[in-house]
Amino acid sequence: MAEEMNEEFTEGLLLRPLPDRRVLAHFHFQSSVPPTRTYGRHHHLFPKSIYQLINKFRVREMELSFTQGRWNYEHWGGYDPISSSNAKPPGVELWADFDVSLDQVDASWKNLTHALSGLFCASINFLEHSTSYSAPQWSFRSFAGKLRYGTLPREAVCTENLTPWLKLLPCRDKAGLSALMDRPSIYRGYYHSQRLHLTSDEFDTAKSNSGIMLEQTLTVVLQPNTLGDRAMVSGKTLQPSWSLSSLFGRKVHGKCSVSKSSNVYVQFEPNLVSELKEVWESVESENGILIHDAFWNNPIFEISASPDRVVKEVGNLQKEVSSILYEFLVEDYNDSKPFDLGLRWKLPVVWSCKQAPLHASRFLMGSGNERGAIAISLRSSSNNNTQRVGCSEKGSQLRIDIFQVVPWYVKVYYHTLKVFIDGELQSTMENIEKMHLSPSEDKVSPGVMEMKLRLPCSVKTAVLTLEFDKGFLHIDEYPPDANQGFDIPSAVVSFTGFQASIGFEDNFLNKLPILNELQERKHVISYTEVLLVPLTTPDFSMPYNVITITCTVFALYFGSLLNALRRRVGEEERLLKSKAAKKRGPLSSMLSKLSAKLKGSPLEPIPTPSTSPSSINYKLIVKVILVAGMAAGWQYYFR
């Protein structure tokens, strides 16, 4: 009981080779604290900023993710716990549930977005407007209408977002597994997603005293550094060898001092294990190489360190071969003996990841700036065994949930919904079990569509189409890069009849949070692409041209007016006479004076090209009147 009343922090790292010569690295950190009513308000490990967010805005559950890149479901898998919970849409995704009255949910959401924006140095505050978020009914967990969901597809993710995320860890990035997070190495990856999931029962006394739990994950897909050309064996390309130092440029010098557990796992998927056994059989060797005492040094692959434990998956009835985890304890290493786990391949191995029942994608139809259509495509994956097993459990129907949010300036006509199965138009009511629609309102709220589909198990392709008109924005509502287009957030496709989880044979492993994440039964979820819709964009150069010409005319007008008001004619005449005298020279001046004395007549003044003051003023007045008339005519014409 005393152990339950203390704060806990755990860290873990899962490494998985991928079929397309890349490596998946999944960092998992978990901080937990008992309830305030029993433990108090002073914490030693749990971040104070998160605790203040929970109590100030009464957050019951929240998830925030920053993602750069798009998860490749075909090559990296779509039917496993990692892809279902950590494959996020590009940009920022935020959803939160509040323990407040219904009339205070929107205000709590706006305040939460501002607080998170300052905490993570991001533009999350753009989600405060009612046009940027929605209130799902059943697409997420049911919270009696107190859940809000919003995305920012164009939000750029950089180190300014990762640094505040690391500051929530007790050791930050100075010790433990988080020390591997070298910024250049992470942001060179093909995909990276940092996620923060928060659960709290601070305001529900009826629940168990689980307190507050903060889960932080960082999922990265990296390309190992290979020197020279790709190694070939028997005409086939070897998988690239890698190590922690080659992937992240660093080694692990021990665990975080306050961490309860710090483990590194190398996972081999079921398809990879099956392929390894086939390769082993082809070289006529023992079939149990993966589980005997020297499995980390064999003719197929070699692990640089001896694992502390081998964990096998149990309860996998779909295939004879299950996945395998190799566990390494980081607490056994220190500065004098750093941990640098490596995997070297000796023979070529080709495999594929486990796919979702249907591959979801989305695209635009039509052309022009007036109207178009959105199409959601669901096509059968190459691995159909999963689909048949899931259908056998649910009968002859394949149930799919679709959640889609469309901005208000894309005016969707939901009555134009059409369903095509294997290229044939179907009756809408026969394939839609349930649907909730919330049409968009101009400059007030986006359009929301939640749908439950029923498809036959033998379906190969299913396409849903919706027609829409493109709206017009005010000139102040256009972003700086308006000609690039406008984003429609990713749609969420959930296969409710399929759950991704990995069960393990050792009950002690249930106490490790990173393995609990793998064992938790979650619906298979896929995110579609972000759509880029071109809207009618005004010519932003026209205001610039009008402003430029108007300023030029006014400059000429005021310049001439000031010149006429401040000019002094007498000084100009004297200046012209002096200039003319200088041009004539001293000899001509002396001759003119001598001739004037001989004749007895006065000296004649030097002729100047200047005219009389009256003529000068007359010309200036005419010029000013002309410029003023041009300016008045210009303003009247362009009014």
Side-chain angles (χ1 to χ4, degrees), residues 58 145 183 187 192 218 283 297 359 433 562 591 632:
R58 301 183 67 87
R183 308 302 195 277
Y187 288 97
H192 71 86
L218 176 65
V283 295
N297 188 2
H359 178 72
E433 179 179 352
L562 292 175
L591 291 176

Side-chain angles (χ1 to χ4, degrees), residues 403-433:
F403 172 70
Q404 179 174 248
V405 179
V406 180
W408 66 267
Y409 43 79
V410 178
K411 307 177 186 300
V412 179
Y413 298 109
Y414 293 101
H415 69 279
T416 62
L417 175 64
K418 297 180 181 179
V419 181
F420 297 87
I421 297 180
D422 295 336
E424 297 182 359
L425 180 63
Q426 304 292 326
S427 175
T428 305
M429 300 307 297
E430 293 180 358
N431 298 278
I432 297 179
E433 179 179 352

